Amino acid sequence: MIFRIAIRNLLHKPLYTALCWLLLSCSTTVLLVLWALNRQARQQLEQQIDGIDLVLGAKGSPLQLILSSVYHLDNPTGNISLTEADRFMHHPLVESAVPISLGDSYHGFRIIGTTQAYLDKYNVKPAQGKVFGKSMEVVAGAEAARKAGLKVGSRFAGTHGLGKTGHVHEGDEYLVSGILPATGLAVDQLLLTPLESVWDIHAPHHDADAHDHAEGDHDHDADPMKPGDADAHDHAEGNHDHDAHATNPGASENHDHENDAHESAAKNHADAGSQENAMMQTPDPRKQVTAVLIKFRSPMGQLQFPRMINEYTNMQAAVPAIEINRLQSLLGTGAKVLRALGWLLAGLAACSIFVTLVQGTHERRYELALIRTMGGSRGKLLALVFAEAFLLGLAGVVTGIALSRVALLLLQQELFAGYHLNFSGAMPLTAADAITAAAIVGACLLAALLPAVRAFRLNIAKTLANA
């Protein structure tokens, strides 16, 4: 009975009722979407850095290194020498080290040169086909394969750079050897291939190699002291020496000892020279990687490696946990502003309900007095006003919950494609959502407190006398 009268009272002024309902719906939608995005983003960010204690890469922004190497969102800071990184990859404190190399893409999906350890890190195996076994074989992520139309056995040529447009390596085609299952992680958006694939594609062109080989053959014929001729010359000298040694055995032994000493000294000199040259020469670009994902055996590595690498090498060590906390703190400011906006909308809705109920009880004071004369108690008048506020709050919250789920559904694909974050787990309602909804309904009931008290204290005789 009370709710029926309350509904008719709300419908009596549809514009005021619609305004309150709209404000409540918008505030509920904003708050629930923000809670869901914040919760799911934190979970996804932490899940993807699980098992990665440190990222080794080129000098630059540590956050950019993490975003490009772990989440595959930003451009890489550059390449590092695999030879230089190898001494840290095989350090006793390191449990696992996964090198990755970026540079090409296909339809906007990044082609990542790596090893099978990358798949083991995320505990994923191909749902179709097999893992790449040699250069130019690719294992495609589920989302990348679906959107790019790739199947096991498909061939494609990569595009230089990480964008959708650029120079296409038409002469070098990849072969899809397997398709990964959907994981909800960044690996769904990647095309994984051996490191050798990246090195081979970005090596000098085959024509240049053939040209160099032809010039080498020409020089070999023209220069009598090339390795092949030198071997023959040494062989002739060896035969000559052999004849001489056969004539004079004692001289032969002395000469052999002198040769051994000379060769030993020359070898030591050559080793020293080669080590010095190796330190001074620029690393072979074919043996460079973009980053190395490192997991330590003990926390001691996290204390020693960052300072040692950042201060004494040309590389950079970035700790994912620190950088992601910094990123969340930066994004948290914007989230707090939007959350404050949501509560502001809820406050405006409560104020609107307050004004509506105050005006409504004043206009219906004669009807309320008649209800009292017909046997209605003060408690029924109090319950009637609270019922109107409760119905408005409940309608706004229910509509806001529905709109928030629709918004998350629409944002899910865009967020996954743009930020490699899976928000499918944000759909179910949580305790935080229930508390938010209850708080909004409670604000509506609080706004109805003063109008309800005025209805409760209504003077029947004075009201009817002035009718």
Side-chain angles (χ1 to χ4, degrees):
M1 181 67 179
I2 293 178
F3 283 102
R4 186 185 305 172
I5 297 175
I7 292 174
R8 290 184 178 181
N9 289 338
L10 292 175
L11 295 178
H12 181 68
K13 289 191 171 183
L15 291 180
Y16 286 102
T17 302
L19 177 62
C20 296
W21 170 76
L22 183 62
L23 289 173
L24 286 171
S25 301
C26 291
S27 63
T28 305
T29 301
V30 171
L31 290 173
L32 294 186
V33 168
L34 286 177
W35 283 120
L37 292 180
N38 188 36
R39 179 180 65 253
Q40 198 68 11
R42 185 185 299 109
Q43 179 182 349
Q44 287 282 304
L45 290 174
E46 293 175 355
Q47 183 178 0
Q48 298 209 54
I49 63 172
D50 186 28
I52 303 176
D53 298 325
L54 183 137
V55 177
L56 184 63
K59 293 285 188 182
S61 168
L63 180 58
Q64 182 181 357
L65 177 61
I66 299 298
L67 292 177
S68 63
S69 303
V70 179
Y71 301 101
H72 303 283
L73 296 177
D74 206 346
N75 293 322
T77 56
N79 290 334
I80 59 176
S81 170
L82 182 60
T83 303
E84 187 177 4
D86 188 69
R87 61 192 180 101
F88 295 101
M89 295 170 60
H90 294 89
H91 195 278
L93 292 176
V94 174
E95 179 180 338
S96 65
V98 183
I100 62 172
S101 185
L102 289 77
D104 292 342
S105 62
Y106 179 67
H107 289 188
F109 297 103
R110 300 189 177 194
I111 300 175
I112 309 296
T114 184
T115 63
Q116 295 187 13
Y118 189 90
L119 297 175
D120 297 335
K121 188 181 80 68
Y122 291 106
N123 194 24
V124 60
K125 297 180 180 180
Q128 305 175 27
K130 62 178 182 178
V131 179
F132 51 78
K134 58 182 180 180
S135 178
M136 303 309 293
E137 287 188 346
V138 162
V139 173
E143 192 70 10
R146 184 181 67 84
K147 290 187 176 181
L150 297 176
K151 299 179 180 179
V152 176
S154 300
R155 292 183 177 272
F156 65 92
T159 301
H160 186 69
L162 302 179
K164 294 185 178 180
T165 59
H167 171 70
V168 179
H169 301 288
E170 296 179 354
D172 302 288
E173 290 189 342
Y174 292 97
L175 173 65
V176 178
S177 64
I179 306 294
L180 297 176
T183 62
L185 302 176
V187 68
D188 292 350
Q189 306 271 354
L190 303 179
L191 301 170
L192 304 177
T193 186
L195 287 169
E196 290 77 11
S197 303
V198 180
W199 295 336
D200 291 343
I201 287 182
H202 295 90
H205 198 269
H206 301 297
D207 293 340
D209 292 340
H211 179 69
D212 294 341
H213 180 70
E215 289 183 350
D217 292 342
H218 177 73
D219 294 339
H220 172 74
D221 295 337
D223 190 351
M225 294 303 296
K226 286 298 177 182
D229 295 339
D231 292 341
H233 179 71
D234 293 339
H235 181 69
E237 289 183 351
N239 293 337
H240 176 74
D241 293 339
H242 175 72
D243 295 337
H245 295 163
T247 307
N248 191 350
S252 174
E253 292 178 358
N254 294 334
H255 186 66
D256 289 340
H257 287 301
E258 291 177 359
N259 285 341
D260 293 340
H262 178 72
E263 290 175 1
S264 177
K267 181 178 180 181
N268 294 335
H269 179 72
D271 291 341
S274 62
Q275 291 178 0
E276 182 179 359
N277 292 335
M279 295 175 62
M280 297 179 62
Q281 287 179 354
T282 302
D284 184 0
R286 283 174 51 88
K287 301 300 181 182
Q288 289 187 345
V289 294
T290 303
V292 180
L293 312 180
I294 295 177
K295 180 181 180 181
F296 295 113
R297 299 182 186 275
S298 67
M300 188 63 66
Q302 293 180 332
L303 299 177
Q304 296 181 358
F305 267 53
R307 181 179 178 182
M308 179 171 57
I309 293 173
N310 292 331
E311 293 185 3
Y312 301 107
T313 70
N314 294 325
M315 300 180 293
Q316 173 185 212
V319 180
I322 296 177
E323 299 305 324
I324 293 307
N325 287 334
R326 185 181 304 172
L327 176 63
Q328 289 182 349
S329 65
L330 294 175
L331 297 178
T333 303
K336 289 178 180 178
V337 172
L338 294 176
R339 195 175 296 121
L341 176 62
W343 285 116
L344 178 62
L345 291 176
L348 291 176
C351 293
S352 179
I353 290 175
F354 171 78
V355 173
T356 301
L357 293 180
V358 168
Q359 185 178 4
T361 53
H362 179 73
E363 292 177 355
R364 298 195 305 272
R365 62 187 182 278
Y366 303 114
E367 298 175 5
L368 297 176
L370 288 175
I371 292 176
R372 288 294 312 281
T373 59
M374 296 176 63
S377 63
R378 292 176 181 270
K380 286 187 177 180
L381 298 183
L382 191 70
L384 179 62
V385 178
F386 277 123
E388 293 181 19
F390 176 76
L391 289 175
L392 266 177
L394 183 62
V397 165
V398 170
T399 306
I401 291 175
L403 290 177
S404 67
R405 301 305 106 172
V406 173
L408 289 174
L409 188 62
L410 295 177
L411 290 172
Q412 181 176 336
Q413 289 298 327
E414 293 297 327
L415 291 172
F416 186 49
Y419 300 97
H420 299 174
L421 298 176
N422 183 14
F423 287 90
S424 59
M427 299 301 290
L429 294 175
T430 63
D433 298 333
I435 293 174
T436 302
I440 293 176
V441 174
C444 296
L445 294 176
L446 184 63
L449 181 60
L450 181 59
V453 171
R454 291 185 60 183
F456 182 82
R457 300 175 60 183
L458 182 67
N459 191 323
I460 301 175
K462 186 177 180 180
T463 301
L464 293 178
N466 295 330

